[in-house]
């Protein structure tokens, strides 16, 4: 039986852990002692699209872990570094899938393991009701593909996709994962950035282009800019991010960066608009809008720690 | 003795009203009954840079007003229309100064009076402690100039500047007010927009260009874009908005749009970045950053009225 470790058990990590536990020996590596204890005691319950209960093993201590055939890193992009630093060696003889939003997680993982690295992009979603209960919602594929700097063999990508499918989730092995990763990158950067700055969830405003001031024009321009950077980087997109935006705008779904902003948590902007801005800079192509979104969100993060006694005065303000 | 009416008595309006009351018969036209009663009972007290107390007349009823030699509209730009609609005829034989931020107030005023119209731009500031007490802070000039569509005679602009100076404030009559108005427009649009979107007051971040993610780069780009629109519109600036920004960034001053955002009040964005976006559109020159700021702030305003039960769920969010 294969040994699998899920690093980070939020909604997405829990969905992988529970499904894979039906066909493999699954460990969860988590940060909170209480979380590990609850998982060891109660296992994981999935409701919604799939309904079952499984036992898994969980720990906060890397030294308790065996060598794994497969790891799936399912933390936020901002937490990959701290999560992988101690467990990376446990994948040295196996493979590791990155399941983060945006660009840059694979490079961080590669710095801490000699294992094979697989680019993962997923659109599955779930609602996390507790440490041990996740409701499965969007039953969509995880796209898997090689991490080019290490020439990940296609056979290994295939094997991982088959294991995930055997567990009951959808997965697809691709010869090149970047078209899928960039489609989601461009979609996510544009939608998360605008949502975080306006406070709006992914609502019909995001596809409205009826007036000059309409937000849909900005989404369209952000997406076009991202597509242009992708084209210059030699990447043909897997799906059109504008079409993805039009569908998402009907859901009123709160993007994760809106959640982060509301709770004053570090956002993934470095891996989203920040990554597009850096890729554009490297390629010598302009990306003024993603660069602006990047700087505004960094400014927003800075505002949480900025305190000044003048903050609520009304200098020069006509009433 | 000249008859003067100040429309809107916030910090700026109160400073004009009190100083002019020393050399003219001053009326205040305000919205709140309580405000009018307090002004009639107690007059206006100025502290800070200047210190004195004066009596003025105040009312909420346009029909109680006489014909005036001079009006100064000192409401927020968003309130000019509702303020001027009933009092405009009382200036038909006089002159009206607009003291709003941004572009577009003069055109609104012109729609409601046959009087002479004067473009006003001021950097004075004060802190409003109550309906009858304002602390005078930045003792800087009000720049006055003609409203070109009506060919306001220079003699009238001069006369108004002299009256304001006689009252103890600084004022300067210019042959063309647009260089001053546009300098402040570009400065204000850039600083207010970034402040409203990040939540930061006008702090050192706004002039910091040390990293790729630094906010100073965005301010610089917004200001350059505004200068380009001004140049295409044939306007030579009175001051360099980037220099104004560098000075302001040392003050930690909360711009008025930050106040509006915090209190969920309609912002002046239509008269600031929105005005630059429209001028750029008219001139056929690109202004992607001001247009983006415009759309983001409109989205932010829309978020205050957008309610959806999903708003605090954590769909698909890795913990």
């Amino acid at each position: 039986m294969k040994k699998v470790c899920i690093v980070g058990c939020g909604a997405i990590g829990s969905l992988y852990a529970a499904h894979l536990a039906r066909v493999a020996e699954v460990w969860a590596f988590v940060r909170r002692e209480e979380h590990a204890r609850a998982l060891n005691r109660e296992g994981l319950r999935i409701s919604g699209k799939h309904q079952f209960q499984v036992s898994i093993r969980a720990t906060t201590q890397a030294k308790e872990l065996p060598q794994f055939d497969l790891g799936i890193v399912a933390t936020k992009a901002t937490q990959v570094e701290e999560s992988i630093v101690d467990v990376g060696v446990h994948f040295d003889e196996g493979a590791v899938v990155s399941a983060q939003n945006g660009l840059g997680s694979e490079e961080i993982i590669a710095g801490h393991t000699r294992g094979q690295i697989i680019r993962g992009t997923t659109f599955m979603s779930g609602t996390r009701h507790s440490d041990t209960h996740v409701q499965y919602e969007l039953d969509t594929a995880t796209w898997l593909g090689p991490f080019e700097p290490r020439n990940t063999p296609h056979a290994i990508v295939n094997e991982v996709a088959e294991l995930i499918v055997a567990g009951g989730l959808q997965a697809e092995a691709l010869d090149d994962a970047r078209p899928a990763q960039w489609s989601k990158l461009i979609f996510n950067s544009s939608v998360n950035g605008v949502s975080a700055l306006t406070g709006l969830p992914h609502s019909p405003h995001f596809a409205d282009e009826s007036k000059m001031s309409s937000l849909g024009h900005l989404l369209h321009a952000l997406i076009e800019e991202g597509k242009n950077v992708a084209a210059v980087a030699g990447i043909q997109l897997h799906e059109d991010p504008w079409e993805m935006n039009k569908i998402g705008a009907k859901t009123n779904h709160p993007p994760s960066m809106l959640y982060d902003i509301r709770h004053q948590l570090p956002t993934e902007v470095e891996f989203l608009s920040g990554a597009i801005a850096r890729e554009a800079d490297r390629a010598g192509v302009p990306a003024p809008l993603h660069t602006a979104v990047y700087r505004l969100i960094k400014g927003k993060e800075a505002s949480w720690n900025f305190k000044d006694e003048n903050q609520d005065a009304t200098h020069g303000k006509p009433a």
Side-chain angles (χ1 to χ4, degrees), chain A:
Chain A
M1 198 177 215
K2 296 276 189 191
K3 282 195 171 69
V4 175
C5 181
I6 309 298
V7 180
C9 262
I12 298 299
S14 299
L15 289 171
Y16 283 124
H19 286 83
L20 285 166
R22 306 201 286 188
V23 293
E25 175 184 326
V26 169
W27 289 68
F29 181 67
V30 297
R31 285 189 304 173
R32 288 179 296 114
E33 270 301 337
E34 187 194 338
H35 190 180
R37 275 198 301 271
L39 288 171
N40 282 318
R41 192 174 58 232
E42 300 171 32
L44 265 170
R45 182 181 149 216
I46 302 298
S47 63
K49 284 275 168 68
H50 296 164
Q51 308 193 348
F52 60 95
Q53 173 103 22
V54 286
S55 296
I56 66 165
R57 293 171 140 188
T59 182
T60 62
Q61 303 299 315
K63 63 181 185 302
E64 293 178 4
L65 297 171
Q67 274 291 320
F68 291 103
D69 301 297
L70 174 63
I72 299 181
V73 182
T75 64
K76 276 178 69 171
T78 49
Q79 292 163 347
V80 169
E81 177 80 37
E82 62 188 272
S83 308
I84 199 69
V85 63
D86 290 329
V87 300
V89 294
H90 297 269
F91 307 120
D92 280 352
E93 293 155 30
V96 187
V97 175
S98 66
Q100 283 65 48
N101 287 328
L103 295 186
S105 297
E106 292 83 4
E107 285 75 6
I108 295 172
I109 295 169
H112 298 285
T113 183
R114 283 179 302 213
Q116 299 291 347
I117 295 175
I118 296 174
R119 291 188 189 274
T121 299
T122 185
F123 270 99
M124 336 188 261
S125 77
T127 297
R128 193 174 191 282
H129 291 292
S130 75
D131 276 351
T132 58
H133 174 204
V134 174
Q135 183 180 329
Y136 189 34
E137 283 161 359
L138 278 185
D139 179 31
T140 50
T142 296
W143 296 320
L144 302 167
F147 176 58
E148 317 72 38
R150 291 227 179 146
N151 291 311
T152 319
H154 190 66
I156 291 179
V157 178
N158 245 336
E159 207 179 316
V160 171
E162 281 165 14
L163 188 68
I164 293 175
V165 168
L169 293 173
Q170 300 193 41
E172 201 177 330
L174 306 168
D175 288 337
D176 185 352
R178 288 171 301 177
Q181 191 173 24
W182 273 76
S183 295
K184 192 177 176 194
L185 167 71
I186 295 168
F187 165 81
N188 247 336
S189 302
S190 306
V191 170
N192 274 275
V194 169
S195 174
L197 291 170
T198 60
L200 283 168
H202 198 188
S203 55
H205 306 85
F206 285 60
D208 175 14
E209 300 185 279
S210 61
K211 289 190 294 187
M212 189 204 177
S213 63
S214 299
L215 219 40
H217 292 299
L218 177 57
L219 269 297
H220 223 142
L222 281 162
I223 287 169
E224 283 306 309
E225 191 181 280
K227 286 163 78 168
N228 191 36
V229 177
V232 172
I235 290 151
Q236 274 211 308
L237 298 181
H238 188 271
E239 292 187 59
D240 183 354
W242 174 250
E243 294 303 318
M244 294 159 73
N245 172 57
K246 281 201 292 188
I247 293 164
K250 294 174 188 159
T251 64
N252 293 330
H253 177 92
S256 63
M257 206 185 283
L258 178 57
Y259 179 93
D260 293 336
I261 291 281
R262 283 183 178 152
H263 296 84
Q264 302 200 352
L265 297 169
T267 72
E268 295 185 316
V269 74
E270 291 286 355
F271 301 84
L272 297 173
S273 283
I276 293 181
R278 279 189 300 271
E279 288 288 330
D281 199 42
R282 200 165 4 232
V285 51
L289 294 175
H290 280 286
T291 307
V293 166
Y294 175 41
R295 290 168 176 157
L296 287 169
I297 305 261
K298 295 300 281 183
K300 187 114 197 161
E301 292 179 359
S303 79
W304 302 331
N305 298 312
F306 186 81
K307 291 282 165 274
D308 183 84
E309 77 250 35
N310 279 330
Q311 272 202 85
D312 264 311
T314 59
H315 300 252
K317 204 197 146 308

